[in-house]
């Protein structure tokens, strides 16, 4: 709205307010229930204060993740009925292959049961023991697969990404000086590849600019280093480029996505996010020899190279989801809803990561609970308090998620100690966002009385999923 446009208060004379709305209407609904405060307290205690261990029936609004939680469209459900469940050469595989080639632009496709299945294959094939894998911040499963393959993760994201208050428009960018210094120190032969994520999950859903990926391509080309893209939320990244980078305002999301991918050598995908399905993933590369290795290894761990752990109907739903997710009005409404929630919290001066990212609002637990030390798990505590207040389920993205340094055995102490309110795609309404914001506000009001947590059970891998906590 332009500054001079009449507002709601001046209605009556002339009314020029214009809102966006979701480009869909609801055809089927699923009831939601909120259980009593006493039942929530009991459920949380039984879950060891870990929202991953709650039964979903005890949850009211589920903002644990945007992964596999999307509502599929009528076209996708119709596609499910066209599943060709042949063991080999299912027609749905060829649809999926064509969709990936068409929209992401890579030559070869290997399906996988979900993102981490694809990460596993790529890590095993493209990393040699002792090689570095520089990336724009870590992601939990990505880094673990790189480490299990013998790689050493090196964070080369710009410093602004670690500062929840920095308003840098592309906080997901790679710091090319950090990368160049790593190459100079270790030698190009000791770099497996650059692991580049489009919108950086752990930084708050922050994007990478087109200029940055172009410059990255130039730098890596000089040293013969490959760049593989985590395309999980790349469509959302394309939206931020369209909005913020000069020269892209008139380009479609689809065109921006394809251009961005063209600067990389391949991608892995958790189709459970951008691609609007409940399960699935894929890996796509340009190099024929690499593809040969991947399609051989997929048979060992996931399934034949024309299904990779997926049913034919799942591949059909992904192929249709790819077409739907690159529509400009879809992405605008999706990120618009995330912003609606974030803007409310910002107005109420509740500390969140800024700028608001693509898939979630990240509450800044350090500023929320300044009286708690990081080892008292402030972000885990905040997720627990939200659940107690209203049955809303959030996720910790701080010290528990960061795990331990494989060499020293100490906790990683990430700068960001965040609680993620992740918005599933096409699932909740604006009214749900109001309820969520009001609950966060209530928990914020009570912040000074809140006590922290201690960890009472710590699994070896990806501990945040199954760890248990108790009140201090
Ligand atoms: N890469 C990114 C950036 C992710 O966010 C995820 C999953 C994966 C890879 C792994 O994919 O779950 O299909 O095996 N993120 C989920 C989340 C779990 O809640 O953020 P997956």
């Amino acid at each position: 709205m332009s500054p001079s446009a009449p507002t709601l208060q001046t209605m009556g004379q002339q009314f020029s307010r214009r809102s966006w709305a979701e480009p869909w209407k609801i055809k089927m609904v699923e009831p939601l229930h909120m259980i009593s405060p006493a039942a929530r307290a009991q459920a949380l205690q039984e879950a060891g204060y870990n929202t991953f261990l709650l039964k979903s029936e005890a949850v009211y609004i589920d903002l644990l993740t945007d992964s596999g939680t999307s509502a599929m469209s009528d076209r996708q459900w119709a596609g499910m009925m066209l599943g060709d469940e042949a063991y080999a050469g299912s027609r749905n595989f060829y649809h999926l292959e064509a969709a990936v080639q068409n929209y992401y632009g890579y030559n070869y496709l290997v399906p996988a049961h979900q993102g981490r299945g694809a990460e596993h294959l790529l890590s095993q094939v493209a990393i040699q023991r002792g090689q570095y894998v520089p990336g724009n911040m870590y992601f939990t499963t990505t880094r673990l697969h790189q480490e299990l393959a013998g790689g050493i993760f090196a964070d080369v994201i710009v410093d602004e990404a670690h500062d929840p208050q920095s308003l840098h428009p592309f906080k997901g960018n790679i710091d090319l000086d950090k990368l160049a210094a790593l190459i100079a120190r270790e030698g190009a032969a000791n770099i497996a590849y650059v692991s580049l994520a489009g919108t950086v999950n752990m930084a708050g859903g922050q994007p990478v600019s087109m200029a940055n990926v172009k410059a990255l391509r130039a730098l890596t080309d000089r040293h013969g280093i490959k760049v593989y893209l985590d395309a999980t939320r790349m469509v959302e990244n394309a939206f931020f480029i369209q909005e913020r980078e000069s020269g892209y305002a008139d380009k479609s999301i689809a065109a921006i996505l394809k251009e961005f991918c063209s600067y990389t050598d391949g991608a892995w995908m958790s189709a459970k996010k951008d691609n609007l399905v409940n399960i699935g993933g894929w890996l796509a590369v340009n190099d024929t020899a690499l593809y040969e290795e991947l399609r051989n290894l997929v048979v060992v761990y996931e399934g034949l190279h024309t299904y990779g752990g997926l049913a034919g109907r799942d591949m059909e739903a992904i192929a249709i989801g790819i077409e739907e997710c690159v529509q400009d009005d879809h992405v605008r409404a999706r990120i618009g809803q995330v912003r609606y929630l974030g803007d409310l919290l910002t107005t109420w001066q509740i500390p969140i990561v800024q700028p608001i990212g693509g898939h979630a609002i990240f509450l800044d637990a350090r500023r929320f609970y300044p009286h708690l030390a990081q080892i008292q798990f402030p972000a885990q505590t905040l997720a627990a308090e939200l659940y107690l207040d209203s049955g809303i389920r959030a996720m910790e993205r701080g010290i528990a998620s960061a795990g331990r340094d494989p060499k020293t055995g100490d906790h990683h102490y990430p700068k960001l100690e965040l609680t993620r309110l992740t918005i599933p795609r096409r699932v909740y309404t604006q009214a749900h966002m109001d309820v969520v914001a009001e609950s966060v506000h209530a928990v914020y009001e009570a912040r000074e009385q809140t006590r922290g947590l201690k960890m009472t059970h710590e699994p070896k891998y990806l501990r945040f999923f199954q760890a248990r906590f108790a009140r201090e």
Side-chain angles (χ1 to χ4, degrees):
M1 197 162 66
S2 74
S4 59
T7 62
L8 277 172
Q9 284 74 39
T10 60
M11 273 170 69
Q13 296 159 13
Q14 198 190 354
F15 184 70
S16 69
R17 198 181 104 133
R18 288 284 184 214
S19 296
W20 57 265
E22 290 80 0
W24 39 261
K25 57 185 177 172
I26 296 165
K27 197 187 294 252
M28 190 187 285
V29 297
E30 181 181 340
L32 289 179
H33 302 287
M34 198 200 284
I35 59 173
S36 70
R40 294 201 293 274
Q42 193 185 340
L44 191 65
Q45 205 168 17
E46 281 169 13
Y49 290 85
N50 185 347
T51 51
F52 278 103
L53 300 180
L54 287 166
K55 291 184 179 157
S56 110
E57 287 193 334
V59 172
Y60 173 43
I61 298 175
D62 201 346
L63 306 186
L64 184 72
T65 178
D66 63 331
S67 183
T69 54
S70 297
M72 292 207 297
S73 67
D74 50 359
R75 282 185 66 229
Q76 284 176 295
W77 279 108
M80 296 285 279
M81 296 305 290
L82 301 176
D84 170 4
E85 307 306 342
Y87 188 91
S90 157
R91 93 176 143 250
N92 313 112
F93 166 78
Y94 298 103
H95 293 169
L96 176 58
E97 183 184 53
V100 172
Q101 287 168 341
N102 197 10
Y103 291 99
Y104 292 84
Y106 302 109
N107 293 341
Y108 302 111
L109 176 80
V110 177
H113 78 282
Q114 61 179 75
R116 70 199 71 178
E119 288 171 344
H120 173 221
L121 299 176
L122 182 69
S123 302
Q124 291 297 326
V125 168
I127 301 173
Q128 286 163 24
R129 282 207 170 267
Q131 278 188 321
Y132 283 84
V133 190
N136 52 346
M137 201 173 265
Y138 84 102
F139 183 70
T140 53
T141 58
T142 315
R143 184 178 66 191
L144 180 59
H145 278 297
Q146 291 165 352
E147 287 173 352
L148 290 172
I152 305 164
F153 171 77
D155 188 6
V156 293
I157 202 166
V158 293
D159 286 340
E160 287 85 347
H162 295 282
D163 174 2
Q165 296 183 72
S166 159
L167 293 178
H168 191 297
F170 290 104
K171 282 165 94 172
N173 278 356
I174 291 213
D175 183 329
L176 296 165
D177 292 336
K178 284 187 197 167
L179 178 59
L182 182 79
I183 299 170
R185 199 181 73 219
E186 302 297 337
N190 286 321
I191 310 285
Y193 56 87
V194 175
S195 175
L196 176 71
T199 78
V200 179
N201 191 352
M202 302 301 276
Q206 304 295 331
V208 178
S209 71
M210 195 71 87
N212 189 248
V213 73
K214 273 193 215 176
L216 173 67
R217 181 73 280 170
L219 173 65
T220 49
D221 273 350
R222 283 201 293 281
H223 297 278
I225 296 172
K226 303 280 189 209
V227 177
Y228 297 119
L229 175 68
D230 182 340
T232 296
R233 298 185 186 84
M234 191 54 223
V235 166
E236 292 167 7
N237 199 109
F239 173 86
F240 291 113
I241 290 174
Q242 188 187 57
E243 181 184 70
R244 297 179 187 166
E245 200 161 353
S246 85
Y248 289 94
D250 296 331
K251 297 218 163 109
S252 66
I253 295 290
I256 296 169
L257 174 68
K258 203 158 178 182
E259 182 186 339
F260 195 101
C261 293
S262 75
Y263 301 117
T264 67
D265 298 290
W268 72 91
M269 181 74 188
S270 170
K272 299 169 75 174
K273 283 80 161 178
D274 269 356
N275 291 171
L276 298 165
V277 290
N278 304 122
I279 192 68
W282 47 262
L283 188 53
V285 297
N286 288 329
D287 184 84
T288 312
L290 179 67
Y291 167 64
E292 277 299 325
E293 280 193 68
L294 291 167
R295 92 176 195 149
N296 189 210
L297 201 63
V298 73
V299 182
V300 181
Y301 291 106
E302 304 276 314
L304 191 70
H305 58 275
T306 55
Y307 75 86
L310 296 171
R313 55 180 173 268
D314 297 328
M315 292 189 283
E316 191 63 28
I318 303 173
I320 298 170
I322 289 174
E323 275 173 39
E324 293 183 356
C325 78
V326 299
Q327 302 304 318
D328 286 53
D329 55 356
H330 159 72
V331 192
R332 185 174 60 151
R334 190 280 184 284
I335 295 182
Q337 187 179 43
V338 175
R339 280 188 184 161
Y340 175 82
L341 174 60
D343 287 345
L344 271 181
L345 297 176
T346 307
T347 308
W348 297 342
Q349 299 187 335
I350 291 170
I352 65 171
V353 173
Q354 302 282 2
I356 294 164
H359 66 302
I361 297 302
F362 289 73
L363 303 170
D364 185 352
R366 281 183 195 275
R367 280 188 289 151
F368 214 98
Y369 294 135
H371 59 290
L372 296 185
Q374 194 166 20
I375 198 62
Q376 294 172 293
F377 301 98
Q380 190 79 35
T381 303
L382 180 45
E385 293 299 327
L386 275 171
Y387 176 72
L388 288 175
D389 179 72
S390 59
I392 290 166
R393 170 151 71 171
M395 182 196 289
E396 193 262 12
R397 295 277 78 155
I399 185 169
S401 293
R404 290 178 185 271
D405 184 316
K407 264 206 201 119
T408 65
D410 287 347
H411 295 286
H412 285 295
Y413 287 91
K415 287 204 181 111
L416 297 175
E417 179 69 26
L418 309 173
T419 306
R420 190 179 75 174
L421 300 166
T422 338
I423 317 298
R425 294 165 186 78
R426 309 193 291 205
V427 170
Y428 292 112
T429 67
Q430 200 153 306
H432 291 112
M433 297 301 114
D434 286 329
V435 169
V436 171
E438 288 157 19
S439 175
V440 174
H441 188 267
V443 170
Y444 191 57
E445 291 288 285
R447 64 194 179 279
E448 282 165 20
Q449 289 83 54
T450 305
R451 284 177 295 133
L453 295 170
K454 59 182 181 215
M455 200 189 290
T456 55
H457 168 68
E458 181 179 355
K460 185 167 166 204
Y461 298 115
L462 302 173
R463 64 184 185 182
F464 58 95
F465 282 129
Q466 292 150 341
R468 299 184 71 81
F469 301 83
R471 285 268 189 221
E472 283 201 307

